[in-house]
Amino acid sequence: MTGIQLFTYFAFLVAFIAILRKVLRYATAPESMRWELYPVPHEKGRAEYGGSYFEELDWWTKERETDLFNELKEMFSEIVFLKGIFHHNKKVWNSSFPFHFGLYMTIGWLVLLMTGGILEAFFGMTVDSQGGFFSTAVYYLTIPLGFGGLALAGLGAFGLFIWRSTDKTQKKFNAPIDFFNLIAFTVTAAVALAASIMYDPTFSFLRSYTGSLLTFSAISSPNVLLTAEIILLAFLTLLIPITKMSHFVAKYFLYHSVRWNDQNNERGSKIEKNILELLNKQVGWSADHIRTGKTWGEVITEPKNEEK
Amino acid sequence: MKKNDIDVKEFGKKVDQLFELNVEDLPKLPYPYEDWVDKVYPDVSEARKESTDISLDGILNVAVPKIEDAEEKAKMVANFLEGLKKLLSKEDNWTFLKPFLLSLDNCVGCNTCSGACPVFEESGEVDIYRPLFRSEILRRIIKKYNSPMGTITAKISGHDIELNWELIARLAQLAYRCTLCRRCAQTCPMGVDNGLISREIRKLFSMELGISPQELHEDGTIKQLETGSSTGLSPVALMDLMEFAEEDITDRTGLEHKFPFDKSGADILLIHNAGEFLSWPENLEAFAILFDIAGLSWTLSSEQVGYDSVNYGLFYDDAQYAKVTLKHAEIAKKLGVRKVVLGECGHAHKATMAIGDKVWVGESNIPRESCLVTMEDIVMNEKVMVDPERNNFPVTYHDPCNVTRSMGIVEPQRRVLRKICPQFREMTPHGVDNYCCGGGSGFAIMQSHNFPEWKLQISGRKKFRQILEAFTKEELDPGVRKYVCAPCSNCKGQIRDLLTYYEAWDRCQILYGGLVELIINCMVDVREGYIEWDDFH
Ligand code: SF4
Ligand code: SF4
């Protein structure tokens, strides 16, 4: 194992743990009160204007009609095109969209590198322009995704950096860490592009490198620039989940368990069971009007006069 | 500090007042108010200044007692940090922990939310009113004082903040410069809800430090639970009022109606905001006429709390909220009704239907419905006959945030308006994108000190602008009578105060009222003229 390989493993391990921690932080939070925000895209026939099933007479007696396709469509346009920010903050979207789109392409590129690495390491195939259909497709797709993704992400990050440093209002809410993150992206993209153009234009080295990680076999980098590229890419892999840049995890929960969560509580339901359990928790709040130390169930029931 | 350039870091700065509002900075209003000159914010009385901190912006709606003693100050800081722990705990804040954490963790500081906030915009863009400003303060405090190695990471990340008594006192006030309208949340690319964060800050202050606006707590939930209504209306006084209301119905319409009370087994328990009984009896009278003529089986409750759908706990305190809503549930269960219908009150809709969804559990889970839906059924299915010509005047509609953005009830009321008001037109924007009336989160009932000026000049300015812009120049002529339909007691209170402050009745003949009054006004079974144009109140 070489040093850069060990660092890459380390980066992926840290990233995995950090993401898992975030997922658990939200997934294990208790059943909360409803707090949806309209429009909710799975409201069949109503999502367009922001309506809900509460618009029905005797809504609890009606079959709930949901529109999964519309929800997926909404997710797609938010994830891929950043629809929200396009409508509400074009200035940021101009950089944020290429940045995010570039990142998606870069992730696609990494997946293809890994696929190529697997084909070479485990199936003895050669991923190049002369191989079979699948390996040739992998070969040809890797190149535009890699260059396009890195260029767009780098430009986007640079654009966001300029916006953060020049916008007067923005200055108040920026922190050095925000700049550090954007610089890290810009520099990584620039180094990766330079290394690839000069020494690895078809990404054959990176493919072998990925393969070596999967087979746990040693590989060393042929030159400093490629070494720098790998270290920087691994560093970003580590950096994203431990900073605010991992907001994709929270965004998933924010949309699905808060904003769009219009699931109603029915008698005998799991929600009801959860709530009844939570009502047994002790209340620690200590303002005078709260009977501290009692359970929630007791605190929210007005005491009879003699208990007051 | 008097300039509008305040950094989050400086929020606890030891100065008499962090920011001074100036009416000259307020954005200009449209026709015919181009030359409107706003009243200068009155000063809080000297006695009040002695006892209460107003060091945020000189405005007073939540009274934070002034403390001089250093030890006392340190104690309050410690108590605040205790409260913060509880706000982040699964035991003490299971009710909102998930949405709170999600909003807390994920702001990228892009400021998109500021563009959506009517308070920020109509204040002339006062920095401390930015939706992310108060959230950022809380976020930094949590990171520094509630995380391992927080002091070091605060320094390294550049997001440092110094927690002191001054900061805490101002944070309490800043939480009450937000109407909880959640318009900012709709535009945030991350889905962060700064409205929720304001609410959670309010909750910490109320549930741990016992600090909350008097109108919401002592004169709000406490009074409601003790006397039956936050208006102070007892069951006995209610009965007297209803007698008067029955006579009033006869005077207005020539019809005889008795209000049904405590009818066991009725199909519907109708619960009004008790503010209607005192300020707008024509609203509950209209409901009685409509439900009777449509042949509905319905009842009101005369039991304490059962005749007042208000639940101010929604705005500041989970325990107070739950106590009130559980009383409503208990009364509905006792009466054995098939469903509860919420009258024209937006926050009561949200408190009872959306948030109440997980509080009305087990046997108490009696279905709840919006009166807007019930009215749609009556009008659209012709259970009453209407003559829209009687409503042939310009009408616009204000969407209460709680009914629309938080619950998705958008179209039923519009279908009714399109049918019964030939000159109905929308405000821009409307529906789920609407602007708050400026009286949200309890502001409508906060009438003391210099807060009324703030809520009329700043938080309500956008709504007044929207109202004016809903009508053409010709229609704004005082010779043309116009109607703003707002099916919510609190919104109506705020709109009444807006129209009064801006002299809009005298200058433009703009009247306001609910939806049910418009229905009765055009019902063929009711004598013409239910809406009394010359009785602006
Ligand atoms: S729009 Fe959202 S992410 Fe951007 S500053 Fe406001 S709360 Fe933060
Ligand atoms: S909830 Fe409304 S008033 Fe409060 S910050 Fe957001 S937009 Fe502004």
Side-chain angles (χ1 to χ4, degrees), chain B residues 106-113 132 187-190 192 194:
Chain B
N106 292 293
C107 171
V108 291
C110 67
N111 252 304
T112 308
C113 49
L132 76 161
T187 63
C188 171
M190 299 297 123
V192 169
N194 287 304

Side-chain angles (χ1 to χ4, degrees), chain B residues 181-204:
Chain B
C181 74
R182 305 179 73 203
R183 201 169 187 276
C184 52
Q186 236 175 7
T187 63
C188 171
M190 299 297 123
V192 169
D193 190 336
N194 287 304
L196 175 70
I197 294 180
S198 298
R199 182 189 182 273
E200 296 301 284
I201 298 174
R202 292 176 175 198
K203 188 160 99 187
L204 187 166

Side-chain angles (χ1 to χ4, degrees), chain B residues 116-119 131 134 177-185 194-195 198:
Chain B
C117 174
V119 173
R134 71 179 74 76
R177 299 291 179 275
C178 161
T179 65
L180 311 187
C181 74
R182 305 179 73 203
R183 201 169 187 276
C184 52
N194 287 304
S198 298

Side-chain angles (χ1 to χ4, degrees), chain A residues 15 56 62 100 135 187 207 219 246 251 291:
Chain A
E56 290 269 347
K62 310 274 165 74
H100 283 87
S135 55
V187 170
R207 195 158 25 244
I219 189 170
S246 59
K251 196 162 173 176
R291 293 184 296 153

Side-chain angles (χ1 to χ4, degrees), chain B residues 129-140:
Chain B
Y129 298 159
R130 284 180 189 279
L132 76 161
F133 198 98
R134 71 179 74 76
S135 310
E136 187 57 24
I137 295 167
L138 189 71
R139 211 170 270 131
R140 289 190 192 184

